[in-house]
Amino acid sequence: DTEVTQTPKHLVMGMTNKKSLKCEQHMGHRAMYWYKQKAKKPPELMFVYSYEKLSINESVPSRFSPECPNSSLLNLHLHALQPEDSALYLCASSQESWTAAPRDTQYFGPGTRLTVL
Amino acid sequence: EDQVTQSPEALRLQEGESSSLNCSYTVSGLRGLFWYRQDPGKGPEFLFTLYSAGEEKEKERLKATLTKKESFLHITAPKPEDSATYLCAAGPGGGADGLTFGKGTHLIIQP
């Protein structure tokens, strides 16, 4: 089983709202990722967690705040977003991060479609 | 700078008409070349990983190959359900643990 689940599937929020995206995997993977994908564009890496510690933050604005409460769960907290932040937010996981295991495959969830009004 | 370029951007085929998608890459210290399929509004679905030049992998009507500079995804006798965007990604990229994705090839198979 290579399933990564994400909730909610769709989210509409105003620029003053606070919301959270949730990602879960039960494959025993120790690395988890957040990507952002705009329409007709490829996914772009935002954050990487390895063993529940943030290892990569690709210069993402502070209005996006990741959290990894345990090895199976990854959250993305959203606050004061802008309309240009509207996108598909993808979560992925791999057995290990590439610094530890260069051949691991990243498996993606179905994404959360976020619309910021 | 790591780069992954896919061609063509879009491809329309008749059912049963075989073709190939191209992915060229310039990634220093390539660890893996990945192919994903993505349907509209959904997350990428893993297809293949290739690690070294000369490697080939097959799954149903799809076959992926790798050289030192590019990868090909060959589609044999495609069916309408093969219609999707096919993404090529190379690692490392986007930071030590991320993937660098190409822009994808939007494939349409007409009945």
Side-chain angles (χ1 to χ4, degrees):
Chain A
D1 182 16
T2 55
E3 187 178 23
V4 177
T5 60
Q6 291 187 243
T7 54
K9 290 185 178 181
H10 302 275
L11 178 63
V12 179
M13 60 186 291
M15 290 189 284
T16 59
N17 293 157
K18 288 185 180 181
K19 297 287 185 181
S20 297
L21 310 184
K22 179 181 174 181
C23 172
E24 203 161 2
Q25 56 87 14
H26 296 287
M27 297 176 278
H29 289 179
R30 303 316 300 263
M32 297 184 76
Y33 313 78
W34 281 114
Y35 287 82
K36 173 182 177 179
Q37 187 176 25
K38 301 281 280 183
K40 299 189 185 300
K41 298 287 187 181
E44 296 180 350
L45 183 67
M46 300 175 71
F47 302 104
V48 180
Y49 272 85
S50 178
Y51 285 85
E52 300 155 49
K53 292 184 179 179
L54 183 64
S55 63
I56 300 284
N57 175 346
E58 291 291 327
S59 301
V60 178
S62 59
R63 56 186 184 267
F64 295 92
S65 176
E67 178 196 20
C68 189
N70 59 58
S71 60
S72 300
L73 190 59
L74 185 66
N75 297 320
L76 185 63
H77 302 298
L78 313 172
H79 173 56
L81 294 192
Q82 304 296 311
E84 58 264 29
D85 296 321
S86 298
L88 182 67
Y89 287 83
L90 295 163
C91 175
S93 71
S94 61
Q95 187 67 42
E96 298 278 351
S97 70
W98 277 356
T99 50
R103 293 192 165 193
D104 277 354
T105 296
Q106 294 182 18
Y107 295 94
F108 286 81
T112 292
R113 172 69 61 189
L114 174 67
T115 302
V116 182
L117 301 177
Chain B
E1 181 183 345
D2 296 338
Q3 281 194 330
V4 176
T5 304
Q6 291 187 248
S7 62
E9 290 187 10
L11 181 62
R12 190 181 297 265
L13 301 172
Q14 292 295 122
E15 184 173 1
E17 181 184 0
S18 301
S19 188
S20 296
L21 312 182
N22 177 264
C23 170
S24 62
Y25 63 91
T26 52
V27 175
S28 57
L30 182 75
R31 292 176 182 160
L33 190 293
F34 301 83
W35 283 98
Y36 289 86
R37 168 192 170 131
Q38 187 171 28
D39 292 301
K42 297 188 177 181
E45 174 190 350
F46 171 71
L47 294 174
F48 303 108
T49 308
L50 301 167
Y51 299 114
S52 56
E55 190 173 2
E56 298 182 352
K57 289 191 177 176
E58 287 188 68
K59 179 181 179 180
E60 297 181 353
R61 296 177 290 282
L62 300 176
K63 178 180 178 180
T65 61
L66 183 66
T67 71
K68 288 186 177 180
K69 294 183 179 181
E70 57 192 350
S71 177
F72 293 93
L73 184 66
H74 307 279
I75 302 177
T76 302
K79 298 181 178 181
E81 53 262 40
D82 295 321
S83 298
T85 295
Y86 290 84
L87 294 168
C88 171
D97 288 317
L99 291 169
T100 297
F101 280 88
K103 293 184 177 180
T105 293
H106 181 49
L107 177 65
I108 298 174
I109 308 299
Q110 294 178 313

